[in-house]
Amino acid sequence: METLFHQYAPVALDKVTVWFKACHEQDIPENGGACIKYKDKQIAVYHFKRKQKWYACQNLCPHKMEMVLSRGMIGDSEGIAKVACPMHKKTFSLETGENLNGDLPSIATFPIKVENGFVYIGFSE
């Protein structure tokens, strides 16, 4: 299972080589998330309407290695957009991937953009 975790690496905006057309904007619930698949990766996509922002991260929670983060609740912690794992309540920054509980590794985050009603996720491969 650890191998599965290591297939995810964060992507910086300046390292994007591929903008993957993931879905229609309306496919992602407002103030919620959904999962999309890119090659062998599951990516959680969130529309944080209250902040007028979009976020993307790995769907895999590093706590119990479950593909569940897209079903987690999103919120704000001292100005930081976060997601809470629906199974274990561990929280992660949607901006940096940092584990806000401090007891788990960070998760991979990905650049995201919305153009002409479509959601695109940036990858470096």
Side-chain angles (χ1 to χ4, degrees):
M1 283 302 237
E2 289 296 316
T3 317
L4 186 60
F5 182 74
H6 292 294
Q7 80 179 19
Y8 293 95
V11 176
L13 183 59
D14 63 343
K15 300 294 184 197
V16 171
T17 57
V18 174
W19 283 104
F20 174 67
K21 189 177 192 178
C23 60
H24 288 278
E25 190 175 354
Q26 69 266 18
D27 292 337
I28 308 299
E30 292 180 356
N31 296 311
C35 180
I36 64 99
K37 190 162 184 182
Y38 176 74
K39 296 186 178 183
D40 59 346
K41 295 176 173 71
Q42 287 189 32
I43 306 297
V45 178
Y46 306 95
H47 180 192
F48 204 147
K49 179 139 181 151
R50 293 178 307 225
K51 285 185 162 279
Q52 300 295 314
K53 291 191 177 181
W54 290 79
Y55 298 96
C57 67
Q58 69 188 48
N59 196 33
L60 181 68
C61 178
H63 183 225
K64 295 287 185 179
M65 306 304 280
E66 299 285 343
M67 295 287 189
V68 295
L69 291 180
S70 63
R71 297 185 307 219
M73 289 181 63
I74 60 174
D76 185 284
S77 176
E78 298 177 14
I80 299 170
K82 67 177 183 173
V83 62
C85 174
M87 296 181 72
H88 315 104
K89 306 305 182 237
K90 302 293 184 176
T91 58
F92 300 89
S93 166
L94 290 172
E95 297 164 14
T96 66
E98 175 189 4
N99 173 237
L100 300 175
N101 304 102
D103 58 349
L104 292 171
S106 295
I107 58 171
T109 57
F110 303 90
I112 193 165
K113 66 181 180 178
V114 177
E115 291 180 349
N116 299 320
F118 290 96
V119 177
Y120 296 83
I121 301 170
F123 295 97
S124 61
E125 43 194 51

mmCIF file of all heavy atoms in Angstrom, residues 84-125:
data_model
loop_
_atom_site.group_PDB
_atom_site.id
_atom_site.type_symbol
_atom_site.label_atom_id
_atom_site.label_comp_id
_atom_site.label_asym_id
_atom_site.label_seq_id
_atom_site.Cartn_x
_atom_site.Cartn_y
_atom_site.Cartn_z
ATOM 1 N N ALA A 84 -11.286 17.380 5.515
ATOM 2 C CA ALA A 84 -11.204 16.387 6.583
ATOM 3 C C ALA A 84 -11.549 15.023 6.000
ATOM 4 O O ALA A 84 -12.562 14.876 5.311
ATOM 5 C CB ALA A 84 -12.180 16.726 7.705
ATOM 6 N N CYS A 85 -10.709 14.043 6.242
ATOM 7 C CA CYS A 85 -10.988 12.680 5.782
ATOM 8 C C CYS A 85 -12.315 12.230 6.390
ATOM 9 O O CYS A 85 -12.514 12.347 7.602
ATOM 10 C CB CYS A 85 -9.860 11.749 6.198
ATOM 11 S SG CYS A 85 -10.216 10.016 5.812
ATOM 12 N N PRO A 86 -13.244 11.702 5.577
ATOM 13 C CA PRO A 86 -14.541 11.294 6.120
ATOM 14 C C PRO A 86 -14.467 10.073 7.029
ATOM 15 O O PRO A 86 -15.379 9.835 7.809
ATOM 16 C CB PRO A 86 -15.369 10.997 4.871
ATOM 17 C CG PRO A 86 -14.370 10.628 3.835
ATOM 18 C CD PRO A 86 -13.159 11.471 4.133
ATOM 19 N N MET A 87 -13.366 9.327 6.966
ATOM 20 C CA MET A 87 -13.259 8.127 7.786
ATOM 21 C C MET A 87 -12.553 8.379 9.124
ATOM 22 O O MET A 87 -12.910 7.787 10.135
ATOM 23 C CB MET A 87 -12.502 7.033 7.032
ATOM 24 C CG MET A 87 -13.236 6.561 5.791
ATOM 25 S SD MET A 87 -12.343 5.260 4.949
ATOM 26 C CE MET A 87 -12.592 3.906 6.083
ATOM 27 N N HIS A 88 -11.542 9.235 9.096
ATOM 28 C CA HIS A 88 -10.684 9.346 10.267
ATOM 29 C C HIS A 88 -10.569 10.764 10.811
ATOM 30 O O HIS A 88 -9.876 11.000 11.786
ATOM 31 C CB HIS A 88 -9.285 8.825 9.916
ATOM 32 C CG HIS A 88 -9.344 7.544 9.157
ATOM 33 N ND1 HIS A 88 -9.123 7.492 7.787
ATOM 34 C CD2 HIS A 88 -9.642 6.294 9.545
ATOM 35 C CE1 HIS A 88 -9.259 6.238 7.385
ATOM 36 N NE2 HIS A 88 -9.573 5.503 8.426
ATOM 37 N N LYS A 89 -11.189 11.725 10.104
ATOM 38 C CA LYS A 89 -11.219 13.135 10.527
ATOM 39 C C LYS A 89 -9.854 13.810 10.544
ATOM 40 O O LYS A 89 -9.681 14.867 11.126
ATOM 41 C CB LYS A 89 -11.883 13.307 11.902
ATOM 42 C CG LYS A 89 -13.270 12.691 11.990
ATOM 43 C CD LYS A 89 -14.207 13.203 10.925
ATOM 44 C CE LYS A 89 -15.581 12.597 11.079
ATOM 45 N NZ LYS A 89 -16.058 11.897 9.916
ATOM 46 N N LYS A 90 -8.852 13.217 9.915
ATOM 47 C CA LYS A 90 -7.555 13.874 9.770
ATOM 48 C C LYS A 90 -7.745 14.994 8.749
ATOM 49 O O LYS A 90 -8.438 14.829 7.751
ATOM 50 C CB LYS A 90 -6.488 12.899 9.278
ATOM 51 C CG LYS A 90 -6.295 11.702 10.189
ATOM 52 C CD LYS A 90 -5.714 12.098 11.527
ATOM 53 C CE LYS A 90 -5.452 10.869 12.377
ATOM 54 N NZ LYS A 90 -4.821 11.163 13.631
ATOM 55 N N THR A 91 -7.135 16.160 8.980
ATOM 56 C CA THR A 91 -7.344 17.300 8.089
ATOM 57 C C THR A 91 -6.058 17.656 7.347
ATOM 58 O O THR A 91 -4.945 17.535 7.885
ATOM 59 C CB THR A 91 -7.856 18.531 8.861
ATOM 60 O OG1 THR A 91 -6.934 18.866 9.877
ATOM 61 C CG2 THR A 91 -9.232 18.255 9.453
ATOM 62 N N PHE A 92 -6.259 18.131 6.111
ATOM 63 C CA PHE A 92 -5.149 18.483 5.233
ATOM 64 C C PHE A 92 -5.424 19.827 4.574
ATOM 65 O O PHE A 92 -6.559 20.114 4.193
ATOM 66 C CB PHE A 92 -4.976 17.423 4.134
ATOM 67 C CG PHE A 92 -4.695 16.055 4.678
ATOM 68 C CD1 PHE A 92 -5.726 15.184 4.985
ATOM 69 C CD2 PHE A 92 -3.392 15.645 4.905
ATOM 70 C CE1 PHE A 92 -5.479 13.927 5.502
ATOM 71 C CE2 PHE A 92 -3.125 14.390 5.425
ATOM 72 C CZ PHE A 92 -4.182 13.521 5.722
ATOM 73 N N SER A 93 -4.374 20.629 4.414
ATOM 74 C CA SER A 93 -4.486 21.895 3.700
ATOM 75 C C SER A 93 -4.713 21.609 2.223
ATOM 76 O O SER A 93 -3.978 20.818 1.616
ATOM 77 C CB SER A 93 -3.206 22.711 3.862
ATOM 78 O OG SER A 93 -3.172 23.769 2.924
ATOM 79 N N LEU A 94 -5.720 22.247 1.639
ATOM 80 C CA LEU A 94 -5.960 22.098 0.205
ATOM 81 C C LEU A 94 -4.999 22.962 -0.603
ATOM 82 O O LEU A 94 -4.889 22.804 -1.809
ATOM 83 C CB LEU A 94 -7.411 22.452 -0.135
ATOM 84 C CG LEU A 94 -8.439 21.453 0.372
ATOM 85 C CD1 LEU A 94 -9.855 21.980 0.152
ATOM 86 C CD2 LEU A 94 -8.257 20.103 -0.313
ATOM 87 N N GLU A 95 -4.300 23.853 0.066
ATOM 88 C CA GLU A 95 -3.343 24.734 -0.608
ATOM 89 C C GLU A 95 -1.960 24.111 -0.700
ATOM 90 O O GLU A 95 -1.316 24.161 -1.740
ATOM 91 C CB GLU A 95 -3.306 26.079 0.099
ATOM 92 C CG GLU A 95 -4.652 26.794 0.018
ATOM 93 C CD GLU A 95 -4.795 27.939 1.007
ATOM 94 O OE1 GLU A 95 -3.780 28.373 1.591
ATOM 95 O OE2 GLU A 95 -5.929 28.398 1.182
ATOM 96 N N THR A 96 -1.496 23.495 0.395
ATOM 97 C CA THR A 96 -0.134 22.944 0.434
ATOM 98 C C THR A 96 -0.090 21.429 0.587
ATOM 99 O O THR A 96 0.959 20.822 0.399
ATOM 100 C CB THR A 96 0.657 23.546 1.603
ATOM 101 O OG1 THR A 96 0.056 23.107 2.839
ATOM 102 C CG2 THR A 96 0.686 25.066 1.531
ATOM 103 N N GLY A 97 -1.187 20.818 1.012
ATOM 104 C CA GLY A 97 -1.220 19.385 1.279
ATOM 105 C C GLY A 97 -0.788 19.009 2.683
ATOM 106 O O GLY A 97 -0.880 17.847 3.081
ATOM 107 N N GLU A 98 -0.325 19.988 3.457
ATOM 108 C CA GLU A 98 0.169 19.725 4.805
ATOM 109 C C GLU A 98 -0.916 19.090 5.674
ATOM 110 O O GLU A 98 -2.070 19.491 5.638
ATOM 111 C CB GLU A 98 0.618 21.038 5.444
ATOM 112 C CG GLU A 98 1.030 20.909 6.893
ATOM 113 C CD GLU A 98 1.253 22.269 7.563
ATOM 114 O OE1 GLU A 98 1.024 23.311 6.933
ATOM 115 O OE2 GLU A 98 1.655 22.252 8.736
ATOM 116 N N ASN A 99 -0.497 18.090 6.465
ATOM 117 C CA ASN A 99 -1.403 17.496 7.448
ATOM 118 C C ASN A 99 -1.526 18.469 8.609
ATOM 119 O O ASN A 99 -0.541 18.771 9.270
ATOM 120 C CB ASN A 99 -0.871 16.141 7.923
ATOM 121 C CG ASN A 99 -1.679 15.569 9.070
ATOM 122 O OD1 ASN A 99 -1.157 15.286 10.125
ATOM 123 N ND2 ASN A 99 -2.964 15.411 8.857
ATOM 124 N N LEU A 100 -2.716 19.003 8.822
ATOM 125 C CA LEU A 100 -2.926 20.023 9.844
ATOM 126 C C LEU A 100 -2.969 19.451 11.252
ATOM 127 O O LEU A 100 -2.932 20.197 12.228
ATOM 128 C CB LEU A 100 -4.196 20.823 9.529
ATOM 129 C CG LEU A 100 -4.157 21.552 8.190
ATOM 130 C CD1 LEU A 100 -5.498 22.213 7.896
ATOM 131 C CD2 LEU A 100 -3.028 22.553 8.131
ATOM 132 N N ASN A 101 -3.043 18.124 11.368
ATOM 133 C CA ASN A 101 -2.968 17.476 12.671
ATOM 134 C C ASN A 101 -1.522 17.212 13.059
ATOM 135 O O ASN A 101 -1.238 16.888 14.207
ATOM 136 C CB ASN A 101 -3.742 16.151 12.675
ATOM 137 C CG ASN A 101 -5.178 16.343 12.251
ATOM 138 O OD1 ASN A 101 -5.532 16.052 11.109
ATOM 139 N ND2 ASN A 101 -6.005 16.867 13.141
ATOM 140 N N GLY A 102 -0.613 17.274 12.083
ATOM 141 C CA GLY A 102 0.809 17.115 12.339
ATOM 142 C C GLY A 102 1.290 15.704 12.554
ATOM 143 O O GLY A 102 2.439 15.499 12.904
ATOM 144 N N ASP A 103 0.441 14.712 12.328
ATOM 145 C CA ASP A 103 0.858 13.340 12.620
ATOM 146 C C ASP A 103 0.932 12.438 11.384
ATOM 147 O O ASP A 103 1.164 11.247 11.508
ATOM 148 C CB ASP A 103 -0.069 12.719 13.659
ATOM 149 C CG ASP A 103 -1.536 12.708 13.236
ATOM 150 O OD1 ASP A 103 -1.882 13.353 12.230
ATOM 151 O OD2 ASP A 103 -2.331 12.055 13.919
ATOM 152 N N LEU A 104 0.764 13.006 10.189
ATOM 153 C CA LEU A 104 0.790 12.227 8.947
ATOM 154 C C LEU A 104 1.596 12.973 7.891
ATOM 155 O O LEU A 104 1.755 14.190 7.977
ATOM 156 C CB LEU A 104 -0.632 12.011 8.412
ATOM 157 C CG LEU A 104 -1.551 11.120 9.222
ATOM 158 C CD1 LEU A 104 -2.969 11.187 8.675
ATOM 159 C CD2 LEU A 104 -1.044 9.685 9.206
ATOM 160 N N PRO A 105 2.043 12.255 6.867
ATOM 161 C CA PRO A 105 2.716 12.957 5.770
ATOM 162 C C PRO A 105 1.736 13.855 5.010
ATOM 163 O O PRO A 105 0.516 13.664 5.084
ATOM 164 C CB PRO A 105 3.229 11.832 4.868
ATOM 165 C CG PRO A 105 2.614 10.574 5.340
ATOM 166 C CD PRO A 105 2.007 10.821 6.691
ATOM 167 N N SER A 106 2.280 14.804 4.301
ATOM 168 C CA SER A 106 1.461 15.683 3.463
ATOM 169 C C SER A 106 0.884 14.900 2.294
ATOM 170 O O SER A 106 1.404 13.855 1.900
ATOM 171 C CB SER A 106 2.314 16.824 2.913
ATOM 172 O OG SER A 106 2.763 17.644 3.947
ATOM 173 N N ILE A 107 -0.194 15.440 1.718
ATOM 174 C CA ILE A 107 -0.770 14.855 0.506
ATOM 175 C C ILE A 107 -0.353 15.712 -0.688
ATOM 176 O O ILE A 107 0.023 16.877 -0.531
ATOM 177 C CB ILE A 107 -2.313 14.752 0.594
ATOM 178 C CG1 ILE A 107 -2.938 16.139 0.821
ATOM 179 C CG2 ILE A 107 -2.720 13.757 1.680
ATOM 180 C CD1 ILE A 107 -4.454 16.158 0.711
ATOM 181 N N ALA A 108 -0.423 15.132 -1.868
ATOM 182 C CA ALA A 108 -0.069 15.852 -3.092
ATOM 183 C C ALA A 108 -1.219 16.760 -3.505
ATOM 184 O O ALA A 108 -2.382 16.362 -3.477
ATOM 185 C CB ALA A 108 0.239 14.864 -4.209
ATOM 186 N N THR A 109 -0.870 17.976 -3.868
ATOM 187 C CA THR A 109 -1.845 18.920 -4.408
ATOM 188 C C THR A 109 -1.467 19.235 -5.851
ATOM 189 O O THR A 109 -0.303 19.075 -6.249
ATOM 190 C CB THR A 109 -1.888 20.225 -3.585
ATOM 191 O OG1 THR A 109 -0.580 20.807 -3.560
ATOM 192 C CG2 THR A 109 -2.376 19.961 -2.167
ATOM 193 N N PHE A 110 -2.457 19.679 -6.620
ATOM 194 C CA PHE A 110 -2.261 19.916 -8.037
ATOM 195 C C PHE A 110 -2.874 21.253 -8.437
ATOM 196 O O PHE A 110 -3.940 21.622 -7.930
ATOM 197 C CB PHE A 110 -2.930 18.800 -8.860
ATOM 198 C CG PHE A 110 -2.432 17.431 -8.491
ATOM 199 C CD1 PHE A 110 -3.056 16.699 -7.504
ATOM 200 C CD2 PHE A 110 -1.325 16.896 -9.119
ATOM 201 C CE1 PHE A 110 -2.596 15.444 -7.140
ATOM 202 C CE2 PHE A 110 -0.850 15.641 -8.764
ATOM 203 C CZ PHE A 110 -1.481 14.915 -7.782
ATOM 204 N N PRO A 111 -2.243 21.967 -9.371
ATOM 205 C CA PRO A 111 -2.844 23.202 -9.881
ATOM 206 C C PRO A 111 -4.165 22.890 -10.576
ATOM 207 O O PRO A 111 -4.345 21.801 -11.148
ATOM 208 C CB PRO A 111 -1.822 23.723 -10.889
ATOM 209 C CG PRO A 111 -0.554 23.025 -10.552
ATOM 210 C CD PRO A 111 -0.947 21.698 -9.973
ATOM 211 N N ILE A 112 -5.064 23.837 -10.528
ATOM 212 C CA ILE A 112 -6.385 23.641 -11.132
ATOM 213 C C ILE A 112 -6.826 24.958 -11.748
ATOM 214 O O ILE A 112 -6.479 26.036 -11.259
ATOM 215 C CB ILE A 112 -7.387 23.127 -10.067
ATOM 216 C CG1 ILE A 112 -8.668 22.605 -10.693
ATOM 217 C CG2 ILE A 112 -7.642 24.154 -9.002
ATOM 218 C CD1 ILE A 112 -9.525 21.772 -9.749
ATOM 219 N N LYS A 113 -7.541 24.864 -12.846
ATOM 220 C CA LYS A 113 -8.104 26.068 -13.469
ATOM 221 C C LYS A 113 -9.445 25.717 -14.084
ATOM 222 O O LYS A 113 -9.708 24.559 -14.413
ATOM 223 C CB LYS A 113 -7.154 26.663 -14.519
ATOM 224 C CG LYS A 113 -6.926 25.794 -15.735
ATOM 225 C CD LYS A 113 -5.950 26.466 -16.696
ATOM 226 C CE LYS A 113 -5.702 25.605 -17.929
ATOM 227 N NZ LYS A 113 -4.790 26.266 -18.883
ATOM 228 N N VAL A 114 -10.288 26.722 -14.212
ATOM 229 C CA VAL A 114 -11.596 26.553 -14.836
ATOM 230 C C VAL A 114 -11.657 27.519 -16.011
ATOM 231 O O VAL A 114 -11.418 28.720 -15.853
ATOM 232 C CB VAL A 114 -12.738 26.851 -13.837
ATOM 233 C CG1 VAL A 114 -14.094 26.734 -14.512
ATOM 234 C CG2 VAL A 114 -12.646 25.910 -12.638
ATOM 235 N N GLU A 115 -11.943 26.972 -17.203
ATOM 236 C CA GLU A 115 -12.050 27.781 -18.417
ATOM 237 C C GLU A 115 -13.213 27.287 -19.251
ATOM 238 O O GLU A 115 -13.340 26.069 -19.469
ATOM 239 C CB GLU A 115 -10.768 27.693 -19.251
ATOM 240 C CG GLU A 115 -9.572 28.366 -18.631
ATOM 241 C CD GLU A 115 -8.319 28.258 -19.490
ATOM 242 O OE1 GLU A 115 -8.317 27.484 -20.486
ATOM 243 O OE2 GLU A 115 -7.329 28.931 -19.158
ATOM 244 N N ASN A 116 -14.037 28.206 -19.698
ATOM 245 C CA ASN A 116 -15.154 27.893 -20.591
ATOM 246 C C ASN A 116 -16.028 26.756 -20.063
ATOM 247 O O ASN A 116 -16.471 25.893 -20.821
ATOM 248 C CB ASN A 116 -14.645 27.553 -21.994
ATOM 249 C CG ASN A 116 -13.886 28.710 -22.613
ATOM 250 O OD1 ASN A 116 -14.287 29.865 -22.475
ATOM 251 N ND2 ASN A 116 -12.788 28.406 -23.268
ATOM 252 N N GLY A 117 -16.237 26.721 -18.746
ATOM 253 C CA GLY A 117 -17.120 25.730 -18.134
ATOM 254 C C GLY A 117 -16.482 24.375 -17.871
ATOM 255 O O GLY A 117 -17.161 23.448 -17.433
ATOM 256 N N PHE A 118 -15.182 24.238 -18.114
ATOM 257 C CA PHE A 118 -14.484 22.973 -17.874
ATOM 258 C C PHE A 118 -13.421 23.144 -16.789
ATOM 259 O O PHE A 118 -12.811 24.198 -16.664
ATOM 260 C CB PHE A 118 -13.819 22.453 -19.150
ATOM 261 C CG PHE A 118 -14.784 21.969 -20.170
ATOM 262 C CD1 PHE A 118 -15.194 22.803 -21.194
ATOM 263 C CD2 PHE A 118 -15.319 20.685 -20.106
ATOM 264 C CE1 PHE A 118 -16.114 22.379 -22.148
ATOM 265 C CE2 PHE A 118 -16.241 20.244 -21.049
ATOM 266 C CZ PHE A 118 -16.637 21.099 -22.065
ATOM 267 N N VAL A 119 -13.192 22.069 -16.026
ATOM 268 C CA VAL A 119 -12.190 22.039 -14.973
ATOM 269 C C VAL A 119 -10.961 21.308 -15.511
ATOM 270 O O VAL A 119 -11.088 20.202 -16.045
ATOM 271 C CB VAL A 119 -12.742 21.320 -13.720
ATOM 272 C CG1 VAL A 119 -11.665 21.227 -12.640
ATOM 273 C CG2 VAL A 119 -13.988 22.016 -13.191
ATOM 274 N N TYR A 120 -9.802 21.937 -15.362
ATOM 275 C CA TYR A 120 -8.527 21.367 -15.803
ATOM 276 C C TYR A 120 -7.618 21.191 -14.616
ATOM 277 O O TYR A 120 -7.549 22.063 -13.744
ATOM 278 C CB TYR A 120 -7.839 22.285 -16.811
ATOM 279 C CG TYR A 120 -8.583 22.484 -18.093
ATOM 280 C CD1 TYR A 120 -9.604 23.432 -18.197
ATOM 281 C CD2 TYR A 120 -8.289 21.718 -19.224
ATOM 282 C CE1 TYR A 120 -10.294 23.615 -19.385
ATOM 283 C CE2 TYR A 120 -8.979 21.897 -20.407
ATOM 284 C CZ TYR A 120 -9.977 22.843 -20.477
ATOM 285 O OH TYR A 120 -10.682 23.033 -21.656
ATOM 286 N N ILE A 121 -6.889 20.075 -14.596
ATOM 287 C CA ILE A 121 -5.941 19.800 -13.522
ATOM 288 C C ILE A 121 -4.544 19.693 -14.144
ATOM 289 O O ILE A 121 -4.366 19.042 -15.170
ATOM 290 C CB ILE A 121 -6.288 18.502 -12.775
ATOM 291 C CG1 ILE A 121 -7.699 18.626 -12.186
ATOM 292 C CG2 ILE A 121 -5.274 18.214 -11.674
ATOM 293 C CD1 ILE A 121 -8.241 17.346 -11.639
ATOM 294 N N GLY A 122 -3.575 20.328 -13.495
ATOM 295 C CA GLY A 122 -2.208 20.352 -14.020
ATOM 296 C C GLY A 122 -1.370 19.189 -13.513
ATOM 297 O O GLY A 122 -1.345 18.897 -12.324
ATOM 298 N N PHE A 123 -0.686 18.538 -14.454
ATOM 299 C CA PHE A 123 0.237 17.442 -14.136
ATOM 300 C C PHE A 123 1.578 17.715 -14.787
ATOM 301 O O PHE A 123 1.662 18.476 -15.751
ATOM 302 C CB PHE A 123 -0.327 16.102 -14.625
ATOM 303 C CG PHE A 123 -1.588 15.690 -13.924
ATOM 304 C CD1 PHE A 123 -2.821 15.931 -14.489
ATOM 305 C CD2 PHE A 123 -1.527 15.081 -12.676
ATOM 306 C CE1 PHE A 123 -3.996 15.576 -13.836
ATOM 307 C CE2 PHE A 123 -2.695 14.725 -12.018
ATOM 308 C CZ PHE A 123 -3.932 14.960 -12.599
ATOM 309 N N SER A 124 2.620 17.088 -14.279
ATOM 310 C CA SER A 124 3.970 17.311 -14.817
ATOM 311 C C SER A 124 4.518 16.055 -15.486
ATOM 312 O O SER A 124 5.656 15.687 -15.285
ATOM 313 C CB SER A 124 4.898 17.763 -13.700
ATOM 314 O OG SER A 124 4.984 16.767 -12.697
ATOM 315 N N GLU A 125 3.701 15.418 -16.285
ATOM 316 C CA GLU A 125 4.161 14.204 -16.978
ATOM 317 C C GLU A 125 3.716 14.216 -18.412
ATOM 318 O O GLU A 125 2.862 14.915 -18.829
ATOM 319 C CB GLU A 125 3.661 12.958 -16.292
ATOM 320 C CG GLU A 125 2.216 13.064 -15.864
ATOM 321 C CD GLU A 125 1.812 11.976 -14.906
ATOM 322 O OE1 GLU A 125 2.520 11.770 -13.905
ATOM 323 O OE2 GLU A 125 0.798 11.334 -15.170
#
